[in-house]
Amino acid sequence: MAGQSKELPPWGYAVAGSAGAVLANALVYPLDIVKTRLQVQMKRKPDEIATTTTHQHYDSTLHAISTIIEHEGLHGLYAGMAGSLIGVASTNFAYFYWYTVVRELYLRYAQTQKPGTAVELSLGAVAGALAQLFTIPVAVVTTRQQTQPKGERKGLLDTAKEVIDSEDGWSGLWRGLKASLVLVVNPAITYGAYQRLKENFFPGKTNLRPWEAFVLGSASKALATIATQPLIVAKVGLQSRPPPARQGKPFKSFIEVMAYIVQHEGPLALFKGIAPQILKGLLVQGFLMMTKERMELVFILLFRYLRKVRAEKVQKIINAAAEKGREAADAAAQQAKKVAPITAK
């Protein structure tokens, strides 16, 4: 968001960003549920089939899609979508809001117009951490919903109650917080890379064309996803139900999840589900940046219109007050003329 216009307040950028994120995630939601199912799928030994919380084995992204449709119907690809979009909206609103705030504060006190890459990444990390503190409960509930067997599927509130009623209690809603705080480097890398690519390929250009924003957003998200995939897999493992082999015993940390995966499936398993993860990330980030650029323009035009209307109203009030003042002055002058002859006598 470097070079962004100062015509919008922080919440204006937040609404633009969250609106774009909701639309983008809604369009590719089936990929989200597929990558989650693949990431919680565990294989205890090389010669055994993998199992998930739904007890289905998925060989690939396409196989997962066809299997879900076969056993759960087309709506199975949209399980937990409401909670997911609420989480997307809240997370992105919080992220873009805090990013705009911390960036403006930095520019004000550092007296610079172009932060370096390291600074851009740090600002994104701070904004991401602040956003995660407030929004991770929705992510926990959504992950549970996406991995629930068809016969045990529950609504948003019932799933949240299930998490609270577990051995973790209310703190269960913040499972994976440490991993999520580490994962703030993902949007930090994403937006940092986006700004650098934008400045290198389109120097001095404030508003990109839709296809330009899409390409840059997709490329930056791909880089961030590859760098952070092991942590993404570990976070999903923390927030979902434990694999059948653990007999209901939940993981305590993302390090434990990663160690368990490496022990039972090998180090490459830390990158399982990366194909739909990257594809989803490419599409979401591309649509997000493309939509966000348009939404910002809409809000800028709206704010200009509102300022114009407000200025016109203020001018009307000033003119009306001035007119009343002139009328009062004229009335006082007329009254003074009437009183003057009487005083003279």
Side-chain angles (χ1 to χ4, degrees), residues 25-301:
N25 279 272
L27 291 173
V28 300
Y29 185 77
L31 284 174
D32 188 46
I33 195 168
V34 166
K35 67 92 181 171
T36 301
R37 297 278 184 93
L38 287 172
Q39 287 169 352
V40 300
Q41 183 167 269
M42 302 296 296
K43 187 181 294 184
R44 289 178 291 181
K45 294 180 182 179
D47 59 341
E48 292 180 343
I49 63 170
T51 55
T52 68
T53 54
T54 59
H55 306 294
Q56 296 292 337
H57 172 229
Y58 308 122
D59 296 320
S60 64
T61 301
L62 291 177
H63 180 251
I65 292 174
S66 62
T67 302
I68 291 173
I69 292 176
E70 179 184 353
H71 290 86
E72 304 175 42
L74 186 61
H75 64 276
L77 291 173
Y78 296 89
M81 182 176 179
S84 177
L85 294 184
I86 291 173
V88 166
S90 58
T91 300
N92 280 273
F93 182 91
Y95 178 83
F96 282 108
Y97 179 85
W98 288 114
Y99 182 89
T100 305
V101 169
V102 297
R103 196 173 194 279
E104 287 181 355
L105 287 174
Y106 174 81
L107 293 177
R108 184 184 305 165
Y109 291 104
Q111 296 182 343
T112 180
Q113 293 299 317
K114 184 181 287 188
T117 302
V119 172
E120 201 77 69
L121 294 178
S122 299
L123 295 176
V126 171
L130 290 169
Q132 285 297 324
L133 290 173
F134 296 101
T135 60
I136 193 171
V138 181
V140 172
V141 173
T142 299
T143 301
R144 286 294 183 94
Q145 284 187 303
Q146 291 178 337
T147 55
Q148 285 171 341
K150 182 180 179 182
E152 301 177 22
R153 197 160 292 158
K154 301 176 182 178
L156 189 68
L157 295 179
D158 288 335
T159 304
K161 186 176 183 299
E162 177 186 284
V163 174
I164 295 171
D165 290 341
S166 67
E167 64 180 61
D168 291 330
W170 282 92
S171 64
L173 291 174
W174 277 266
R175 281 187 69 82
L177 177 60
K178 292 180 181 179
S180 295
L181 290 178
V182 176
L183 276 170
V184 298
V185 298
N186 189 296
I189 294 172
T190 299
Y191 292 106
Y194 181 84
Q195 296 308 326
R196 299 282 77 79
L197 290 172
K198 183 177 179 180
E199 290 170 4
N200 289 331
F201 288 98
F202 305 101
K205 192 170 185 179
T206 303
N207 296 308
L208 302 181
R209 295 188 181 94
W211 72 266
E212 293 171 340
F214 184 92
V215 171
L216 293 191
S218 298
S220 60
K221 187 61 177 179
L223 293 172
T225 299
I226 293 172
T228 58
Q229 181 66 9
L231 277 174
I232 294 173
V233 172
K235 188 187 81 165
V236 171
L238 267 176
Q239 295 177 341
S240 63
R241 291 179 178 179
R246 287 180 65 87
Q247 299 179 341
K249 182 182 178 183
F251 293 106
K252 297 297 183 183
S253 67
F254 68 91
I255 298 296
E256 184 182 2
V257 178
M258 296 173 72
Y260 183 88
I261 292 173
V262 171
Q263 179 184 355
H264 291 81
E265 303 179 80
L268 289 180
L270 292 173
F271 293 87
K272 58 187 176 181
I274 194 170
Q277 182 83 46
I278 288 181
L279 180 57
K280 179 210 168 190
L282 290 177
L283 294 175
V284 166
Q285 199 62 32
F287 284 130
L288 170 59
M289 288 304 182
M290 182 173 65
T291 310
K292 179 179 171 294
E293 294 272 350
R294 303 307 101 187
M295 288 296 294
E296 284 184 2
L297 286 176
V298 169
F299 271 82
I300 287 173
L301 293 175

